[in-house]
Coordinates of all heavy atoms in Angstrom, one line a residue:
M1 N 73.8 95.5 96.5 CA 74.2 96.8 96.0 C 75.7 96.8 95.8 O 76.5 96.5 96.6 CB 73.8 97.9 97.1 CG 73.8 99.3 96.5 SD 72.8 100.3 97.6 CE 74.1 101.4 98.3
N2 N 76.1 97.2 94.5 CA 77.5 97.2 94.2 C 77.9 98.7 93.9 O 77.2 99.3 93.1 CB 77.7 96.3 92.9 CG 79.2 96.2 92.6 OD1 80.0 96.0 93.5 ND2 79.5 96.3 91.3
V3 N 78.9 99.1 94.5 CA 79.4 100.5 94.4 C 80.8 100.5 93.8 O 81.7 99.9 94.3 CB 79.4 101.2 95.7 CG1 79.8 102.7 95.5 CG2 78.0 101.1 96.4
T4 N 80.9 101.3 92.7 CA 82.3 101.4 92.1 C 82.5 102.9 91.8 O 81.6 103.7 91.8 CB 82.4 100.7 90.8 OG1 81.3 101.0 89.9 CG2 82.3 99.2 91.0
V5 N 83.8 103.3 91.7 CA 84.2 104.6 91.4 C 84.9 104.7 90.1 O 85.9 103.9 89.9 CB 85.1 105.2 92.5 CG1 85.5 106.6 92.2 CG2 84.3 105.2 93.9
E6 N 84.5 105.5 89.2 CA 85.1 105.5 87.9 C 86.4 106.4 87.9 O 86.6 107.2 88.8 CB 84.1 106.1 86.9 CG 82.9 105.2 86.7 CD 81.9 105.8 85.7 OE1 81.8 107.0 85.5 OE2 81.2 104.9 85.1
D7 N 87.2 106.2 86.9 CA 88.4 106.9 86.8 C 88.3 108.5 86.7 O 89.2 109.2 86.8 CB 89.3 106.4 85.6 CG 89.8 105.0 85.9 OD1 89.8 104.6 87.1 OD2 90.2 104.4 84.9
S8 N 87.0 108.9 86.4 CA 86.8 110.4 86.3 C 86.9 111.1 87.7 O 86.8 112.3 87.8 CB 85.5 110.6 85.6 OG 84.4 109.9 86.3
C9 N 86.9 110.3 88.8 CA 87.1 110.8 90.1 C 88.2 111.9 90.2 O 89.3 111.6 89.7 CB 87.3 109.7 91.1 SG 87.8 110.3 92.8
I10 N 87.9 113.0 90.7 CA 88.9 114.1 90.9 C 89.5 114.2 92.3 O 90.1 115.2 92.6 CB 88.4 115.5 90.4 CG1 87.1 115.8 91.2 CG2 88.1 115.4 88.9 CD1 86.6 117.3 90.9
A11 N 89.1 113.2 93.1 CA 89.6 113.2 94.5 C 89.3 114.4 95.3 O 90.1 114.9 96.1 CB 91.1 112.9 94.5
C12 N 88.1 114.9 95.2 CA 87.6 116.1 95.9 C 87.4 115.9 97.3 O 87.4 116.8 98.1 CB 86.4 116.7 95.2 SG 84.9 115.8 95.5
G13 N 87.1 114.7 97.7 CA 86.8 114.3 99.1 C 85.4 114.4 99.6 O 85.1 114.1 100.7
A14 N 84.5 114.8 98.7 CA 83.1 115.0 99.1 C 82.5 113.7 99.6 O 81.8 113.7 100.6 CB 82.3 115.6 97.9
C15 N 82.7 112.6 98.9 CA 82.1 111.4 99.3 C 82.5 110.9 100.6 O 81.8 110.4 101.5 CB 82.3 110.3 98.2 SG 84.0 110.0 97.8
E16 N 83.8 111.1 100.9 CA 84.3 110.7 102.2 C 83.7 111.6 103.3 O 83.4 111.1 104.4 CB 85.9 110.9 102.3 CG 86.5 110.4 103.6 CD 88.0 110.3 103.5 OE1 88.6 110.7 102.5 OE2 88.6 109.8 104.5
S17 N 83.5 112.9 103.1 CA 82.9 113.8 104.0 C 81.5 113.3 104.4 O 81.0 113.4 105.5 CB 82.9 115.2 103.5 OG 84.2 115.7 103.3
I18 N 80.8 112.9 103.3 CA 79.4 112.5 103.5 C 79.3 111.1 104.1 O 78.4 110.8 105.0 CB 78.7 112.5 102.1 CG1 78.6 114.0 101.7 CG2 77.3 111.8 102.2 CD1 78.2 114.1 100.2
C19 N 80.1 110.2 103.7 CA 80.0 108.8 104.2 C 81.3 108.1 104.3 O 81.8 107.3 103.5 CB 79.1 108.0 103.1 SG 78.7 106.4 103.7
E20 N 82.0 108.5 105.4 CA 83.4 108.0 105.6 C 83.5 106.5 105.9 O 84.6 106.0 105.8 CB 84.1 108.9 106.7 CG 83.4 108.7 108.1 CD 84.1 109.5 109.2 OE1 85.0 110.3 108.8 OE2 83.7 109.4 110.3
A21 N 82.4 105.9 106.3 CA 82.4 104.5 106.5 C 82.6 103.7 105.2 O 83.2 102.6 105.3 CB 81.1 104.0 107.2
V22 N 82.3 104.3 104.1 CA 82.4 103.6 102.8 C 83.5 104.1 102.0 O 84.2 103.4 101.3 CB 81.0 103.6 102.1 CG1 81.1 103.1 100.7 CG2 79.9 102.9 102.9
F23 N 83.6 105.5 101.9 CA 84.6 106.1 101.0 C 85.9 106.6 101.7 O 85.8 107.2 102.7 CB 83.9 107.2 100.3 CG 82.7 106.8 99.5 CD1 81.4 107.0 99.9 CD2 82.9 106.3 98.2 CE1 80.3 106.6 99.2 CE2 81.8 105.9 97.4 CZ 80.5 106.0 97.9
T24 N 87.0 106.2 101.1 CA 88.3 106.7 101.5 C 89.0 107.3 100.3 O 89.1 106.7 99.3 CB 89.1 105.6 102.1 OG1 88.4 105.0 103.2 CG2 90.5 106.2 102.7
V25 N 89.4 108.6 100.4 CA 89.9 109.3 99.3 C 91.4 109.6 99.5 O 91.8 110.2 100.4 CB 89.2 110.6 99.0 CG1 89.8 111.3 97.8 CG2 87.7 110.3 98.8
S26 N 92.2 109.1 98.6 CA 93.6 109.5 98.5 C 93.8 110.1 97.1 O 93.4 111.2 96.9 CB 94.6 108.3 98.8 OG 94.3 107.2 98.0
D27 N 94.4 109.4 96.2 CA 94.5 109.9 94.8 C 93.2 109.6 94.0 O 93.0 110.0 92.9 CB 95.7 109.4 94.1 CG 95.9 107.9 94.1 OD1 95.3 107.3 95.0 OD2 96.6 107.4 93.3
K28 N 92.4 108.7 94.6 CA 91.1 108.4 94.0 C 90.2 107.8 95.1 O 90.8 107.2 96.1 CB 91.3 107.3 92.9 CG 90.0 106.9 92.2 CD 90.2 105.7 91.2 CE 88.8 105.2 90.8 NZ 89.0 103.9 90.0
A29 N 88.9 108.0 95.0 CA 88.0 107.4 96.1 C 88.0 105.9 96.0 O 88.0 105.3 94.9 CB 86.6 107.9 95.9
E30 N 88.2 105.3 97.2 CA 88.1 103.8 97.3 C 86.9 103.4 98.1 O 86.5 104.1 99.0 CB 89.4 103.3 97.9 CG 90.6 103.5 96.9 CD 91.9 103.0 97.6 OE1 91.8 102.4 98.6 OE2 92.9 103.2 96.9
V31 N 86.3 102.3 97.8 CA 85.1 101.8 98.4 C 85.4 100.7 99.4 O 86.0 99.7 99.0 CB 84.1 101.3 97.3 CG1 82.8 100.8 98.0 CG2 83.7 102.5 96.4
N32 N 84.9 100.8 100.6 CA 84.9 99.7 101.6 C 83.6 98.9 101.4 O 82.6 99.3 102.0 CB 85.1 100.3 103.0 CG 85.2 99.2 104.0 OD1 85.0 98.0 103.7 ND2 85.6 99.5 105.2
A33 N 83.7 97.9 100.6 CA 82.5 97.2 100.2 C 81.8 96.6 101.4 O 80.5 96.4 101.4 CB 82.8 96.1 99.2
A34 N 82.5 96.2 102.4 CA 81.9 95.6 103.6 C 80.9 96.5 104.3 O 80.0 96.0 105.0 CB 83.0 95.1 104.6
N35 N 81.1 97.8 104.1 CA 80.2 98.7 104.9 C 79.1 99.3 104.0 O 78.3 100.1 104.5 CB 81.0 99.9 105.4 CG 81.9 99.5 106.5 OD1 81.7 98.4 107.1 ND2 82.9 100.3 106.9
V36 N 79.0 98.9 102.7 CA 78.0 99.5 101.8 C 76.6 99.2 102.3 O 75.8 100.2 102.4 CB 78.2 98.9 100.4 CG1 77.0 99.3 99.5 CG2 79.5 99.5 99.8
E37 N 76.2 98.0 102.6 CA 74.8 97.7 102.9 C 74.3 98.5 104.1 O 73.2 98.9 104.1 CB 74.6 96.2 103.0 CG 74.9 95.4 101.8 CD 74.0 95.7 100.6 OE1 72.9 96.2 100.8 OE2 74.5 95.4 99.5
A38 N 75.2 98.6 105.1 CA 74.7 99.3 106.3 C 74.7 100.8 106.2 O 74.2 101.5 107.0 CB 75.7 98.9 107.5
N39 N 75.2 101.3 105.0 CA 75.3 102.7 104.8 C 74.7 103.1 103.5 O 75.1 104.1 102.8 CB 76.7 103.2 104.9 CG 77.3 103.0 106.3 OD1 77.1 103.9 107.2 ND2 78.0 101.9 106.5
A40 N 73.6 102.4 103.1 CA 73.0 102.6 101.8 C 72.6 104.1 101.5 O 72.8 104.6 100.4 CB 71.9 101.7 101.6
D41 N 72.0 104.7 102.5 CA 71.5 106.1 102.4 C 72.7 107.0 102.1 O 72.7 107.9 101.3 CB 70.7 106.5 103.6 CG 69.3 105.9 103.6 OD1 68.9 105.3 102.6 OD2 68.7 106.0 104.7
G42 N 73.8 106.8 102.9 CA 75.0 107.7 102.7 C 75.6 107.5 101.4 O 76.1 108.4 100.8
V43 N 75.6 106.2 100.9 CA 76.2 106.0 99.6 C 75.4 106.7 98.5 O 76.0 107.3 97.6 CB 76.2 104.4 99.3 CG1 76.5 104.1 97.8 CG2 77.2 103.7 100.2
K44 N 74.1 106.6 98.6 CA 73.3 107.3 97.6 C 73.5 108.8 97.6 O 73.5 109.5 96.6 CB 71.8 106.9 97.8 CG 71.5 105.5 97.4 CD 70.1 105.1 97.8 CE 69.9 103.6 97.6 NZ 68.7 103.1 98.3
E45 N 73.5 109.3 98.9 CA 73.7 110.8 99.0 C 75.1 111.2 98.4 O 75.2 112.2 97.7 CB 73.7 111.1 100.5 CG 73.7 112.6 100.8 CD 73.7 112.9 102.3 OE1 73.2 112.1 103.1 OE2 74.1 114.0 102.7
A46 N 76.1 110.4 98.7 CA 77.5 110.7 98.1 C 77.5 110.6 96.6 O 78.1 111.5 95.9 CB 78.5 109.7 98.7
A47 N 76.8 109.6 96.1 CA 76.7 109.5 94.6 C 76.0 110.7 94.0 O 76.5 111.2 92.9 CB 76.0 108.2 94.2
E48 N 75.0 111.2 94.6 CA 74.3 112.4 94.1 C 75.2 113.7 94.3 O 75.1 114.6 93.5 CB 73.0 112.6 94.8 CG 71.9 111.5 94.4 CD 70.7 111.5 95.3 OE1 70.5 112.5 96.1 OE2 69.9 110.6 95.2
A49 N 76.0 113.7 95.3 CA 76.8 114.9 95.6 C 78.1 114.9 94.8 O 78.7 116.0 94.6 CB 77.2 114.9 97.0
C50 N 78.5 113.8 94.2 CA 79.8 113.7 93.5 C 79.8 114.7 92.3 O 78.9 114.6 91.5 CB 80.1 112.3 93.0 SG 81.6 112.2 92.0
P51 N 80.7 115.7 92.2 CA 80.6 116.7 91.2 C 80.9 116.2 89.8 O 80.5 116.8 88.8 CB 81.7 117.7 91.6 CG 82.7 116.9 92.4 CD 81.8 115.9 93.2
V52 N 81.5 115.0 89.7 CA 81.7 114.5 88.3 C 80.9 113.2 88.0 O 81.2 112.5 87.0 CB 83.2 114.2 88.1 CG1 83.9 115.6 88.0 CG2 83.8 113.3 89.1
G53 N 80.0 112.8 89.0 CA 79.2 111.6 88.7 C 80.0 110.3 88.6 O 79.7 109.4 87.9
A54 N 81.1 110.3 89.4 CA 82.0 109.1 89.3 C 81.6 107.9 90.1 O 82.1 106.8 89.9 CB 83.4 109.5 89.7
I55 N 80.6 108.1 91.0 CA 80.2 107.0 91.9 C 79.0 106.3 91.2 O 78.0 106.8 91.0 CB 79.8 107.5 93.3 CG1 81.0 108.2 93.9 CG2 79.3 106.3 94.2 CD1 80.6 108.9 95.2
V56 N 79.2 105.0 90.9 CA 78.2 104.2 90.2 C 77.6 103.2 91.2 O 78.3 102.4 91.8 CB 78.8 103.4 89.0 CG1 77.7 102.6 88.4 CG2 79.4 104.4 88.1
V57 N 76.3 103.3 91.4 CA 75.6 102.4 92.3 C 74.7 101.5 91.5 O 73.8 102.0 90.8 CB 74.7 103.2 93.4 CG1 74.0 102.3 94.3 CG2 75.6 104.2 94.1
E58 N 74.9 100.2 91.7 CA 74.1 99.2 90.9 C 73.4 98.3 91.8 O 73.9 98.0 92.9 CB 75.0 98.5 89.9 CG 75.7 99.4 88.9 CD 76.8 98.7 88.1 OE1 77.7 98.2 88.8 OE2 76.7 98.8 86.9
Ligands
SF4_101 S1 82.9 112.8 95.4 FE1 83.3 112.0 93.4 S2 85.1 113.1 92.6 FE2 84.9 113.6 94.8 S3 86.4 112.0 95.7 FE3 84.3 111.1 95.8 S4 84.2 109.9 93.9 FE4 85.9 111.3 93.6

């Protein structure tokens, strides 16, 4: 599973609130790839919750 954040991210912080093991938000959400597999459900939930659809899960 590969997770990326597109430049459309508005740094709202929702993904970090949902899954802080994977997402860290400063001026844009960043992905801690090492934690993705262990937090797959949280990643999917964050991707669905992102208001601008910036989280891409492949
Ligand atoms: S939820 Fe979406 S817009 Fe908000 S910080 Fe995360 S990636 Fe960016």
